């Protein structure tokens, strides 16, 4: 059989013969009960007990000292970058292989994304290659890391935990320290993932999460900012609630800010979802093991596994096509879709998107190779392996 036929056969051996989507939420807990409580009490917007409860649950689960819930993951990253000191005219190091929200959040700050390469070990930023690049392309001026070519300050480094797999945070934290960069983790995809025993999103100055409809848990739309710094948490909450000064009736605001607070009805959904997170993670790990067994018998493709010493949430199960077969990717995508199996490729690299064509970038050879060989396959927690 062809590679695409072998892939379809392997997927069908796990998911069965019905049409199957890439990822859909599972509502098997208290979702209806909690949402009904919001409706019955009329607390559906920015005030209500579920927002506070959701933040408490998140902080307890991740081990972060503070969690601030917001309307989506992009808003979370936007605020985190602002509070990390990113200013108009700065540059921010982000992977070229990421979802566009990472680059957009940098742009919202008036800064420019500066694209860096990934590695094969975890699909995240390559710390060895990045260190070598920064050593020759930047200089230290007044304690700041400055791009020699553009003359702009490089203010922050944003690793993204690709498809839920933790990036090499030890290596990246050392780079952040050595080059005076704020490290902000884009952990949008990695709730439930651990880097050497610590939850992703808790090792940098900030971490940000997403609870979009296709994430491991969902609030419909939503996100959160994680931090261990009490003052930064206070500022994050203030900026995301229009900088309103607390008062029984007056509306006074002490700076230009954002209406980013998560509504109570979304948080209610999130509370019910968090109660089921352990079972979702167990289901995804079982699905990985079933897929791994099925694909171990096929030449030309492999299932991506969690990095050594880490524990991934396996948010999206990921195939990587061997380089000699990469020309078959489009055929595989079309054939799987035609047979009722939803698959998708990795994102188009950020430096290839029209808004970001002129942004600075290092050599992106591995990110380019990876983007041509990655295929995500059905990963919903309700797939019973």
């Amino acid at each position: 059989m062809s590679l695409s036929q072998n892939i379809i056969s392997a997927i069908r051996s796990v998911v069965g013969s019905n049409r199957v989507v890439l990822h859909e939420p599972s509502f098997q807990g208290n979702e209806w009960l909690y949402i009904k409580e919001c409706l019955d009490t009329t607390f559906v917007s920015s005030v209500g007990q579920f927002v506070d409860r959701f933040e408490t649950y998140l902080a307890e689960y991740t081990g972060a000292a503070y969690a601030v819930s917001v309307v989506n993951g992009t808003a979370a990253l936007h605020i985190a970058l602002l509070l990390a000191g990113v200013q108009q005219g700065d540059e921010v190091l982000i992977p070229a292989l990421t979802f566009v929200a990472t680059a957009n959040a940098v742009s919202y700050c008036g800064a420019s994304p500066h694209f860096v390469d990934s590695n094969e070990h975890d699909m995240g930023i390559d710390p060895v290659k990045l260190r070598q690049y920064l050593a020759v392309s930047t200089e230290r001026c007044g304690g700041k890391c400055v791009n020699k070519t553009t003359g702009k300050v490089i203010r922050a480094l944003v690793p993204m935990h690709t498809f839920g797999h933790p990036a090499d945070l030890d290596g990246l934290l050392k780079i952040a320290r050595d080059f005076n960069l704020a490290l902000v983790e884009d952990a949008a995809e990695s709730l439930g993932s651990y880097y050497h025993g610590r939850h992703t999103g808790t090792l940098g100055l900030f971490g940000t999460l997403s609870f979009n409809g296709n994430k491991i848990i969902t609030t419909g739309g939503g996100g959160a900012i994680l931090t261990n710094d009490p003052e930064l948490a206070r500022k994050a909450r203030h900026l995301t609630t229009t900088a309103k000064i607390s008062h029984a009736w007056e509306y006074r605001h002490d700076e230009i800010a954002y209406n980013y607070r998560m509504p109570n009805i979304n948080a209610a959904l999130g509370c019910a979802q968090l109660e089921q997170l352990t079972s979702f993670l167990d289901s995804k790990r079982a699905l990985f093991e079933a897929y791994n067994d099925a694909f171990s018998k096929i030449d030309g493709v492999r299932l991506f596994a969690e990095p050594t010493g880490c524990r991934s949430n396996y948010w999206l199960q990921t195939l990587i096509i061997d380089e000699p077969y990469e020309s078959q990717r489009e055929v595989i995508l079309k054939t799987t879709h035609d047979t009722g199996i939803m698959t998708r490729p990795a994102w188009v690299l950020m430096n290839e998107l029209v808004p970001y064509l002129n942004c600075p970038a290092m050599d992106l050879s591995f990110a380019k190779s990876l983007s041509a060989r990655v295929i995500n396959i059905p990963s919903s927690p309700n797939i019973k392996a």
Side-chain angles (χ1 to χ4, degrees), residues 163-240:
F163 307 133
H165 298 290
D168 185 350
L169 289 171
D170 282 339
L172 295 171
L173 283 165
K174 289 176 183 177
I175 289 174
R177 286 193 295 267
D178 292 346
F179 290 88
N180 196 25
L181 305 169
L183 190 136
V184 177
E185 295 177 64
D186 183 347
E189 302 173 356
S190 64
L191 180 65
S193 296
Y194 290 81
Y195 178 80
H196 297 281
R198 293 183 63 181
H199 196 285
T200 53
T202 65
L203 284 83
L205 183 64
F206 290 102
T208 60
L209 300 170
S210 170
F211 311 114
N212 191 31
N214 68 344
K215 294 301 190 293
I216 193 159
I217 70 164
T218 184
T219 58
I225 302 164
L226 304 177
T227 185
N228 294 315
D229 187 304
E231 181 59 16
L232 290 177
R234 185 196 67 78
K235 289 180 178 178
R237 187 164 282 110
H238 190 58
L239 274 183
T240 56

Side-chain angles (χ1 to χ4, degrees), residues 272-346:
Q273 288 272 287
L274 268 177
E275 292 170 355
Q276 302 166 79
L277 178 55
T278 298
S279 66
F280 294 162
L281 293 169
D282 289 344
S283 295
K284 285 179 171 291
R285 184 162 293 271
L287 183 59
F288 165 78
E289 291 169 355
Y291 275 142
N292 198 40
D293 181 64
F295 281 99
S296 66
K297 307 173 182 66
I298 300 176
D299 293 329
V301 67
R302 65 184 174 90
L303 190 68
F304 194 86
E306 63 196 1
T308 303
C310 299
R311 189 168 181 85
S312 173
N313 64 6
Y314 285 109
W315 169 55
L316 284 185
Q317 310 289 344
T318 303
L319 298 179
I320 299 182
I321 303 167
D322 293 347
E323 288 182 349
Y325 299 91
E326 70 176 55
S327 63
Q328 298 187 37
R329 189 192 70 167
E330 294 304 306
V331 173
I332 294 166
L333 290 166
K334 184 178 187 308
T335 305
T336 51
H337 275 259
D338 287 348
T339 57
I341 298 171
M342 185 180 291
T343 57
R344 78 172 195 193

Side-chain angles (χ1 to χ4, degrees), residues 313-384:
N313 64 6
Y314 285 109
W315 169 55
L316 284 185
Q317 310 289 344
T318 303
L319 298 179
I320 299 182
I321 303 167
D322 293 347
E323 288 182 349
Y325 299 91
E326 70 176 55
S327 63
Q328 298 187 37
R329 189 192 70 167
E330 294 304 306
V331 173
I332 294 166
L333 290 166
K334 184 178 187 308
T335 305
T336 51
H337 275 259
D338 287 348
T339 57
I341 298 171
M342 185 180 291
T343 57
R344 78 172 195 193
W347 312 279
V348 174
L349 295 185
M350 295 299 99
N351 64 301
E352 297 175 2
L353 298 179
V354 171
Y356 299 117
L357 290 175
N358 297 318
C359 290
M362 67 184 291
D363 172 72
L364 301 171
S365 53
F366 187 74
K368 186 173 183 178
S369 172
L370 199 58
S371 70
R373 296 186 292 122
V374 162
I375 293 178
N376 295 127
I377 60 178
S379 305
S380 301
N382 55 14
I383 296 176
K384 301 302 179 185

